[in-house]
């Protein structure tokens, strides 16, 4: 199980969750943030600090945002497990599902 970042974060990327994450497992894509499913320790520190309530425990993700779990997991297919987001910085891509979305939060 892991946490998932859903639609309210797309094109917003507040990053309060990054500062709160004790294991540095929240990575920044072009349009969204992604939680690495293998690096996340399920502590939940990120969830309450998200100003747009975009972070959900996997099983608690609202039905209309269930596809974001797959996008969060598959974002790391090429990347693997780098062992921390801070050393990578901005990753100049997004999962195709996120990249195909119309502009959000405008």
């Amino acid at each position: 199980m892991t946490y998932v970042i859903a639609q309210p974060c797309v094109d917003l990327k507040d990053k309060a969750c990054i500062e709160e994450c004790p294991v540095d497992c929240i990575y920044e894509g072009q349009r969204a943030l992604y939680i690495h499913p293998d690096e996340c320790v399920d502590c939940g520190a990120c969830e309450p600090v998200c100003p747009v309530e975009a972070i959900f425990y996997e099983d608690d993700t609202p039905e209309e945002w269930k596809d974001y779990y797959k996008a969060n997991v598959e974002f790391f297919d090429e990347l693997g497990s780098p062992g921390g987001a801070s050393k990578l910085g901005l990753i100049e891509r997004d999962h195709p599902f996120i990249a195909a979305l119309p502009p959000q939060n405008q």
Side-chain angles (χ1 to χ4, degrees):
M1 296 299 207
T2 189
Y3 280 82
V4 175
I5 299 177
Q7 185 278 328
C9 183
V10 176
D11 294 327
L12 177 65
K13 300 192 311 184
D14 174 80
K15 300 183 191 173
C17 57
I18 291 174
E19 295 170 20
E20 205 62 36
C21 179
V23 294
D24 195 26
C25 73
I26 303 173
Y27 292 73
E28 181 181 4
Q30 195 68 36
R31 296 180 63 196
L33 301 176
Y34 300 85
I35 297 175
H36 197 297
D38 296 332
E39 296 176 6
C40 178
V41 295
D42 299 334
C43 70
C46 58
E47 187 178 17
V49 299
C50 180
V52 293
E53 299 178 357
I55 301 174
F56 301 91
Y57 194 65
E58 177 186 340
D59 287 346
D60 297 333
T61 305
E63 193 60 41
E64 69 266 26
W65 294 330
K66 289 289 186 188
D67 289 341
Y68 286 83
Y69 171 76
K70 183 178 177 182
N72 270 255
V73 171
E74 291 178 356
F75 179 76
F76 298 99
D77 284 352
E78 279 182 40
L79 206 55
S81 188
S86 59
K87 62 183 172 186
L88 292 184
L90 176 67
I91 299 165
E92 298 285 339
R93 66 175 180 82
D94 280 297
H95 183 275
F97 173 75
I98 304 293
L101 290 171
Q104 306 288 304
N105 302 318
Q106 294 184 7

